[in-house]
């Protein structure tokens, strides 16, 4: 019988992997031309959401204490600025590769965490605050980012042809 | 210092409440006319997604062992059938009330669960299977349904006027 914390980390990691698998399945079906389209009239384009999710996931590396952000050149176009504010975006092909590399790297780190390590603080909370608010841990970050992914995945699904 | 399992249940419940709060904030801003619109051309209308989320949440009551489903008359129009397949939908005003009642009821039950009760099996898994797969518990259901909500919330956000 597994310990409760191991059960919980399995739930969180399974759901993270599950949302990523759904996103990858969708991205494999969408052409580069599909990703150039807006998810709805006047709203973000698919390519912007792909870059945005990639940058957010890349920034999880330092936040979770796994290392430096690897693709910081994406931040301006996909985190600071809104869609269409930056003209020279990376190619869709490059973005697809960076997306895969980022998630592979991140998920590999997550898969190695012990139940106790999931409960450790993330890097943007101080020791003092963490003592008072012990839920501000790695698990909370991953649950929050899985929800963020689900949110934009719901939008990206609108690009799918019937 | 809180115990790990209490920390985890706080993370899961906070995120459930957080997504609901975002959904309610959005629904308060959207008029009934806004909800009649499609989230994107040829896709589901806002009213369908509201009914769909309501029915899915209402069915969490039996799934989590909290009691009978209360609004089973919604199932056909919002779970079995696709949008526009059923003509006589409840009014948007009624749906808004049922949505609120369902989530209040559900969240009240969730708020009373002990850390151990979160780890108990949901009602659609057998004792035998649960012994082998102890992650098929109430927490897994709530994490999954929070992701489901996030997914459709991303779509409903497209109805918001800039």
């Amino acid at each position: 019988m597994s310990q409760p914390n191991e059960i919980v980390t399995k739930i969180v990691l399974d759901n993270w992997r599950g949302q990523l698998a759904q996103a990858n399945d969708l991205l494999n079906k969408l052409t580069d031309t599909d990703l150039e389209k807006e998810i709805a009239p006047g709203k973000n384009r698919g390519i912007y959401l792909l870059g945005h999710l990639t940058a957010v996931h890349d920034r999880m590396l330092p936040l979770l204490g796994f290392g430096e952000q690897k693709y910081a050149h994406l931040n301006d176009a996909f985190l600071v600025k809104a869609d269409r504010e930056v003209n020279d975006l990376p190619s869709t092909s490059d973005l697809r590769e960076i997306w895969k590399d980022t998630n592979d790297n991140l998920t590999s780190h997550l898969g190695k965490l012990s139940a106790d390590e999931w409960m450790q603080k993330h890097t943007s909370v101080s020791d003092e605050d963490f003592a008072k608010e012990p839920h501000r841990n790695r698990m909370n970050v991953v649950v929050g980012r899985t929800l963020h992914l689900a949110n934009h995945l719901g939008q990206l699904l609108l690009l799918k042809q019937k």
Side-chain angles (χ1 to χ4, degrees), chain A:
Chain A
M1 173 71 181
S2 310
Q3 292 304 303
N5 269 7
E6 285 164 13
I7 295 170
V8 169
T9 58
K10 177 175 169 57
I11 290 171
V12 171
L13 192 53
D14 280 358
N15 277 288
W16 166 256
R17 286 187 172 131
Q19 292 295 310
L20 280 180
Q22 284 183 43
N24 288 330
D25 182 59
L26 175 65
L27 289 169
N28 287 338
K29 286 174 184 149
L30 295 177
T31 64
D32 291 359
T33 310
D34 289 333
L35 285 170
E36 288 292 326
K37 292 177 191 154
E38 297 171 330
I39 50 168
K43 305 291 181 178
N44 290 321
R45 290 173 300 166
I47 185 71
Y48 181 81
L49 290 181
L50 175 59
H52 174 70
L53 287 168
T54 304
V56 166
H57 290 189
D58 190 31
R59 279 160 68 114
M60 288 170 70
L61 290 169
L63 186 58
L64 294 169
F66 296 153
E68 296 291 309
Q69 189 185 4
K70 197 166 161 187
Y71 302 102
H73 67 284
L74 300 181
N75 296 357
D76 185 61
F78 297 112
L79 295 176
V80 179
K81 304 272 174 61
D83 192 14
R84 298 181 196 79
E85 283 187 46
V86 172
N87 286 323
D88 56 338
L89 296 182
S91 72
T92 304
S93 154
D94 282 354
L95 266 185
R96 287 179 186 269
E97 278 182 37
I98 297 175
W99 163 254
K100 182 180 184 318
D101 180 60
T102 300
N103 293 322
D104 285 352
N105 186 9
L106 192 52
T107 306
S108 164
H109 279 288
L110 291 173
K112 290 175 197 152
L113 291 179
S114 69
D116 284 349
E117 286 167 336
W118 276 96
M119 295 293 121
Q120 290 169 353
K121 81 179 191 69
H122 60 70
T123 60
S124 69
V125 59
S126 68
D127 288 337
E128 191 180 20
D129 286 346
F130 186 63
K132 286 178 286 187
E133 300 178 304
H135 63 282
R136 298 175 68 179
N137 58 23
R138 286 191 176 110
M139 181 168 287
N140 207 358
V141 169
V142 176
V143 170
R145 293 303 184 277
T146 310
L147 288 165
H148 176 258
L149 172 56
N151 187 283
H152 289 305
L153 182 53
Q155 299 175 331
L156 284 166
L157 279 164
L158 302 173
L159 294 175
K160 205 167 145 186
Q161 305 303 314
K162 279 177 187 169

